[in-house]
Amino acid sequence: MNSFSWQRAVVKVGSALIAPDGRECSGRYLLALARFITASREQGKEVILVSSGSVAAGRNKVSSGANGVVLRNTSSIAEKQAMAAIGQNLMMANWQRFFDFPCAQVLLTADDLRDRTRYVNIKNTLREILNHHALPIINENDTVAVNELKVGDNDNLGAYTALVAQADTLIICSDIDGLYTGDPRKNKDATLIPVVESIDSTIYGLAGGAGTSVGTGGMRTKIEAADKCINSGIQTLIVNGRRGETFDALLAGKVPGTLFKPTRTPSNARRLWLTHTLKTAGRIVVDNGAKLALVENGASLLPSGIVDVDGEFAQGEAVEVICDGRAIAKGLSVYNAKDLLLIKGKKSKDIASVLGYETTDVAIHRDDMVLL
């Protein structure tokens, strides 16, 4: 097996593992994963779950037809959304029973990830959930999402979550061991591919259709998710979540499946994105004390160190940090320009009283900043 190391991982678990019979949540395949999560946290690592299963969990609670008789195998959109609404609670209860620490539910749509303000808020929320030692459990908000607002599958939702959470690893739990040279269910000569150095048309050509009728994802969506991640410096694993020994191997730093290697380091990917890709929307002028904290101590930028604000930028837009006429850093502003002007020079504890609300006590978080 190949070795790997990680500090913050997003673990994606599909409906085939959570609701293997397609009708309700089960703990059949989840105990070993729960032990892995608990043991990883005890090692000081951070885990975020992306969990399918809400529709499957609520399926047998929503009848289709008169007198509660199921008349057809298919369900309307409204019925599926009702299943999701009922099933979300059941799915969360199913997870919580495995842990003696709190689980936090986060429901997302594709629109949440496209909107700059909501994207920043999601990132801040996940950061605080982890800071409070709770387990974030993310699912698509199937109760309200329509097709044009859906990510569509939880493999890609896992990739987007890894990006917004600034994880270094995405672990996709499947019902097969990883990526094969062919479909192992149909071709006995198919062999496991332990490492993928890059993703090209040949790798996509190995993807088949959906593995089960319960979920919406197949191997292609898993490769799509891996493609998004490795290009952002996030290593991706596809492993068999139905085998308890899978999680024993992961705890030992081994990859019992397929490892997609990142094409660049996370820090380099983020530095390139912040430095070159994002257009600067404004400038924040800081004093020498703030400069020292940023450059020497790697600290976040606090409102107390801000001297002036230049430009009209929105929350989450990229800004330059200026001291003595020189750009010393670039980052994503937690507040818009108007609000920063109101809280510049203020102590963090005064933000709420000045603005009437408080997103966070920093102006730019160190995770969202690169020194120039």
Side-chain angles (χ1 to χ4, degrees), residues 334-335 348-353 355-362:
V334 175
Y335 295 94
S348 296
K349 63 182 179 64
D350 298 326
I351 294 176
S353 61
L355 298 181
Y357 76 96
E358 178 184 353
T359 298
T360 180
D361 60 357
V362 303

Side-chain angles (χ1 to χ4, degrees), residues 71-87:
L71 299 178
R72 59 188 185 275
N73 292 325
T74 59
S75 304
S76 68
I77 292 176
E79 284 171 337
K80 287 183 178 179
Q81 290 178 326
M83 293 173 191
I86 296 171

Side-chain angles (χ1 to χ4, degrees), residues 108-111 113-114 140 145-158 160 228:
L108 302 177
T109 66
D111 212 32
L113 296 164
R114 297 186 189 117
E140 187 145 25
V146 292
N147 286 337
E148 58 267 26
L149 293 182
K150 289 175 70 67
V151 174
D153 66 88
N154 273 5
D155 293 322
N156 279 292
L157 182 61
Y160 290 128
K228 290 180 177 68

Side-chain angles (χ1 to χ4, degrees), residues 328-345:
I328 61 171
K330 184 177 179 181
L332 305 180
S333 178
V334 175
Y335 295 94
N336 62 40
K338 180 181 177 182
D339 287 347
L340 275 182
L341 279 170
L342 293 175
I343 62 175
K344 68 181 177 68

Side-chain angles (χ1 to χ4, degrees), residues 280-298:
T280 302
R283 305 196 313 167
I284 296 175
V285 181
V286 301
D287 58 27
N288 285 315
K291 176 184 176 180
L292 181 65
L294 299 183
V295 176
E296 300 295 333
N297 302 328

Side-chain angles (χ1 to χ4, degrees), residues 2 17 59 128 140 218 259 282 286 301 308:
N2 291 284
L17 302 181
R59 182 167 282 122
E128 286 305 308
E140 187 145 25
L259 169 65
V286 301
L301 176 61
D308 198 7

Side-chain angles (χ1 to χ4, degrees), residues 111-188:
D111 212 32
D112 295 324
L113 296 164
R114 297 186 189 117
D115 182 89
R116 180 188 296 109
T117 299
R118 278 181 274 176
Y119 186 92
V120 172
N121 286 337
I122 292 165
K123 178 169 58 179
N124 292 337
T125 298
L126 290 176
R127 181 186 290 145
E128 286 305 308
I129 291 172
L130 292 172
N131 286 343
H132 286 82
H133 307 293
L135 174 65
I137 300 180
I138 295 174
N139 194 10
E140 187 145 25
N141 195 354
D142 292 317
T143 60
V144 299
V146 292
N147 286 337
E148 58 267 26
L149 293 182
K150 289 175 70 67
V151 174
D153 66 88
N154 273 5
D155 293 322
N156 279 292
L157 182 61
Y160 290 128
T161 300
L163 292 170
V164 71
Q166 297 176 349
D168 53 56
T169 304
L170 171 63
I171 302 173
I172 300 176
C173 296
S174 182
D175 52 0
I176 60 173
D177 291 346
L179 179 64
Y180 281 77
T181 56
D183 188 341
R185 299 181 180 94
K186 300 176 182 178
N187 181 1
K188 64 179 181 179

